[in-house]
Structure formats: C-alpha cells, structure tokens
Amino acid sequence: MAYPFTFDLKHVCKQSGARYGVLHTPHGDIETPIFMPVGTQATVKAMTPRDLLDVSANIILGNTYHLYLRPGHKLVEEAGGLHKFMHWDRPILTDSGGFQVFSLAKINDIKEDGVMFRSHIDGSKHFFTPESVMEVEQALGADIAMCFDECAPYPSDRKYTIDAMERTHRWAERCQNAHTREDQALFGIVQGGMFGDLRIQSAKTITGMDFPGFGIGGLSVGEPKAVMYEMLETMMPYMPEHKPRYLMGVGSPDCLLEGVLRGIDMFDCVLQTRAGRNGMALTRHGRMTMKNAKYEHDHTPLEEGCDCYCCQNFTRAYIRHLVKEKEILGAQLLTMHNLRFSLKLMEDVRRAIQEDRFGDFARELLEQGIYD
C-alpha cells in the first residue's frame, strides 16, 4: 500500500553516526530526531494548542486505550477526527493502547484472538483485537498509527517473552491486513524483552513486513538504562536505514541523547508534563523542585537564556509561590517550560548532527551528569 508518508534521511553525523531526517506526513513535515509531547486524552495536559505552537511542538501523541474508553472513537470520528476534535492541525501519532491494556487495566486475559480487559475507570469489560484496534485508530485519524502488540513486563522469563514476541508478530500481520486508511501510516513494533537474540529476531521479522516506520517497544519498563542501551545497540544493525525508528515511552534528557547516539529518530514521554504538574522544572542545570525554600527570594528566571513564555516573563520566586499555593498557573508555566526545554534540546541535537559534532555535544552534556 502506498502512503502519503515518506522519510528522507538527510544526513548522518560523521562523528557519531546519529541521524538527521525529515518525516513527510499529511499534516506537515517533521524534522528528526524529534521529541513528541504526549496528549493522552486528546489534550497535552495544562497546554492549549496555541501553547504547543509557542513551544514549537510539531507532532503530538494520543492514546487509543484512553480515547476508546473516553470519549469514544465514534464520537471523535463524528467530530471529524482527532485533528478537528482537539483543534490541532499538525501531525498526530496514536499508540495502540497495548501498553495500557497490559499495565493499566485492572484485569486482563490474553488470548490469541486478543485481550479481554477491565477498564481502570469503572471495571467494565472490553475486548481488544488487532482488528478492533485498527478500527479505533482509523476512526481517530492520526497521521501515524501503531500496531497492537503485547508488551512483556519487566522482568519476564524467556518463555513468556518469546510467547509475547511471537504473538506481537502475528498481531502485526493482522493489523496490516485490517488497516485500509491510505492517509495514515501504520508502524510495526519490535519486541523481545531484554534478550538480545530475541530483539534481533523480532527486528528481522517486523522489518520484513512492509511498514513505513517502526516502533521499539518493551523498553524503559523498569530495566536499568544500561540494559536498554544494550538492547538498542544489539538490534539497530537490523533496522532499515531509510525508515524512521521510534523508541516508545522514552524521553528523559539523558535518554534522548543516548537514544540519538544509537540511531533513534522519534521519542515520546510523559515526564515533561507530569514533572510540571508536580512542581518540577527540567533545566540544563538539572531538575529543580520549585517548592524548595531556596527559591522564595530568587527573582531570576527558571533558566537563563530559555526562550519560553515562562522564563521570559516570570521568576523562580513567583513559580514557587504558585506551586505552594497549588495554583493552576504554576502547572501550566512549568509544563510549558519543560516541553520547550526538551524541544529546544532536540533542535540543538539536530543542529549538532548536521554539523558533524553530535558526539562532542552529547558527551559534554552527559559528562555534566545533569540529565539523569
């Protein structure tokens, strides 16, 4: 099937092997490597679409599991799809809900056909199959949809991991057969847990299918970061060079840099918005807990040189006041800053790749130890 979706690999850093590219989608082009803010329930928490434009977000995520439960994919389709429903005219990616079904649902029963699960909201019973998930994702109408996969928890023994991986492969074929929307790209997902040989096997199988891009799932699920990096290094030689690679659910500053060093093009994470709602700022000087008394009389910006609305207009003392008094504006301003911080970091990453100096750039930041 031909998609109105292409990926141009524009440059490979001579110093590090990191990749700079451009994703072409029906709702615009995306420069990679890219960090994608998470809009689980058709909204990036504490941010308006105008705020997202102000921080230079180019693509955001929605979640199939949550949108299926509330407000329902039929209602979103009736509104004209996610883009119109949430008034966002740039690209959107929806994940399949597989991770949530296996981690968030109160009870799940995995069968070959699909997964029976109980809603974490009201305990009601639901059944997801690859075909029904494709129906939901096509109704939502994002530019990029993800296959329904089984994400093995950490730790999992080898037999369980093999069963989950092989089921993921079979479900990928079923997703591909059920997916008919030509203005939506469907990505396959590589699994295999923390077993290098299984990661290679899964990479070979999934990339052997005609997907326009690939997710890497089942990492950052509780394992040490060193193990995640090892798995990436093990599978990357088997990932096609001219298709995008999406490391799912990963987005702390150190992991962004380490992931790009290992050939990743796309990232997403709830850290930035969750930290903002919990009174924490991400900066190049490390994480700042804004409730701390040392900021009470600090009339400087959160981060000198940051071009976000928060840093251009407000002080640490004011942010601390908002956080301590549980004012909504505190969460909004910190979320705004955290997203701009991460998106600006990726802008600097792309520039360093194009200038063949990303190895030095990443090493300097990582050696400061401020990103972990």
Side-chain angles (χ1 to χ4, degrees):
M1 181 181 294
Y3 297 97
F5 176 101
T6 57
F7 176 67
D8 291 334
L9 181 59
K10 297 286 192 181
H11 186 77
V12 176
C13 176
K14 294 180 176 63
Q15 186 184 68
S16 66
R19 299 146 52 89
Y20 167 74
V22 178
L23 284 167
H24 304 283
T25 81
H27 286 87
D29 293 346
I30 307 155
E31 290 184 284
T32 63
I34 189 69
F35 170 76
M36 303 180 288
V38 177
T40 302
Q41 299 184 110
T43 177
V44 177
K45 294 186 189 304
M47 298 285 283
T48 68
R50 184 171 58 189
D51 293 333
L52 290 169
L53 295 177
D54 286 346
V55 298
S56 300
N58 258 349
I59 175 172
I60 60 175
L61 266 69
N63 181 266
T64 298
Y65 169 87
H66 288 282
L67 293 171
Y68 161 80
L69 290 176
R70 295 179 301 185
H73 59 289
K74 293 295 186 184
L75 187 145
V76 175
E77 185 176 37
E78 174 189 305
L82 262 184
H83 291 91
K84 289 187 177 179
F85 187 56
M86 62 187 298
H87 191 62
W88 177 253
D89 64 0
R90 294 189 180 185
I92 300 175
L93 181 152
T94 47
D95 84 12
S96 69
F99 179 79
Q100 287 73 27
V101 166
F102 294 108
S103 65
L104 190 59
K106 292 180 178 178
I107 300 173
N108 60 57
D109 183 16
I110 306 166
K111 302 179 183 298
E112 184 58 31
D113 281 351
V115 183
M116 181 71 72
F117 65 95
R118 288 189 180 274
S119 163
H120 72 289
I121 301 165
D122 59 9
S124 57
K125 269 190 174 184
H126 303 269
F127 190 58
F128 266 9
T129 68
E131 293 78 12
S132 70
V133 168
M134 289 301 95
E135 177 189 346
V136 174
E137 290 200 81
Q138 290 181 104
L140 296 174
D143 300 81
I144 302 171
M146 304 301 297
C147 283
F148 188 50
D149 63 324
E150 181 176 350
C151 179
Y154 177 82
S156 291
D157 63 32
R158 187 175 177 86
K159 183 183 184 307
Y160 185 101
T161 305
I162 290 173
D163 289 345
M165 177 191 71
E166 291 180 344
R167 187 175 289 113
T168 291
H169 298 166
R170 293 190 295 272
W171 285 359
E173 289 185 16
R174 289 169 57 185
C175 286
Q176 202 168 43
N177 291 334
H179 187 265
T180 58
R181 185 161 181 160
E182 294 189 359
D183 62 346
Q184 182 182 69
L186 177 65
F187 280 21
I189 301 177
V190 176
Q191 288 288 350
M194 308 306 155
F195 299 93
D197 60 323
L198 299 185
R199 283 282 168 184
I200 292 172
Q201 181 181 339
S202 187
K204 287 180 175 179
T205 300
I206 293 294
T207 62
M209 303 180 193
D210 185 26
F211 291 111
F214 303 100
I216 298 168
L219 294 177
S220 192
V221 291
E223 79 281 6
K225 288 180 180 179
V227 175
M228 176 173 73
Y229 301 149
E230 179 188 350
M231 292 301 101
L232 291 177
E233 290 167 7
T234 299
M235 76 178 79
M236 214 50 69
Y238 303 90
M239 303 298 292
E241 184 179 6
H242 291 280
K243 291 189 176 182
R245 307 157 178 174
Y246 164 31
L247 181 55
M248 304 176 71
V250 175
S252 64
D254 57 326
C255 288
L256 292 175
L257 295 170
E258 296 280 10
V260 170
L261 280 170
R262 289 163 176 81
I264 298 299
D265 306 300
M266 304 166 68
F267 303 84
D268 80 282
C269 194
V270 298
L271 167 67
Q272 287 72 4
T273 51
R274 183 175 290 164
R277 296 194 306 281
N278 286 284
M280 181 179 291
L282 307 178
T283 78
R284 297 216 176 186
H285 305 289
R287 300 185 186 188
M288 298 167 57
T289 302
M290 298 312 299
K291 287 182 181 178
N292 288 353
K294 65 180 178 179
Y295 301 122
E296 182 177 3
H297 300 283
D298 189 338
H299 300 292
T300 63
L302 275 180
E303 186 165 26
E304 292 286 353
C306 178
D307 61 4
C308 79
Y309 176 75
C310 175
C311 290
Q312 291 294 305
N313 293 279
F314 304 102
T315 66
R316 295 175 180 183
Y318 182 62
I319 300 298
R320 178 179 184 271
H321 158 68
L322 295 175
V323 170
K324 281 186 64 64
E325 298 307 318
K326 297 182 172 58
E327 286 287 346
I328 294 171
L329 183 59
Q332 290 176 302
L333 293 176
L334 284 170
T335 300
M336 196 177 298
H337 167 77
N338 290 343
L339 288 175
R340 180 59 190 149
F341 165 80
S342 299
L343 291 161
K344 177 63 165 61
L345 175 62
M346 299 311 285
E347 290 171 9
D348 294 343
V349 163
R350 294 193 292 270
R351 188 175 306 109
I353 292 171
Q354 291 173 278
E355 295 173 358
D356 294 314
R357 55 178 180 83
F358 179 67
D360 291 339
F361 175 86
R363 190 179 307 108
E364 179 182 347
L365 294 180
L366 290 167
E367 284 178 354
Q368 293 176 25
I370 61 175
Y371 286 111
D372 52 20

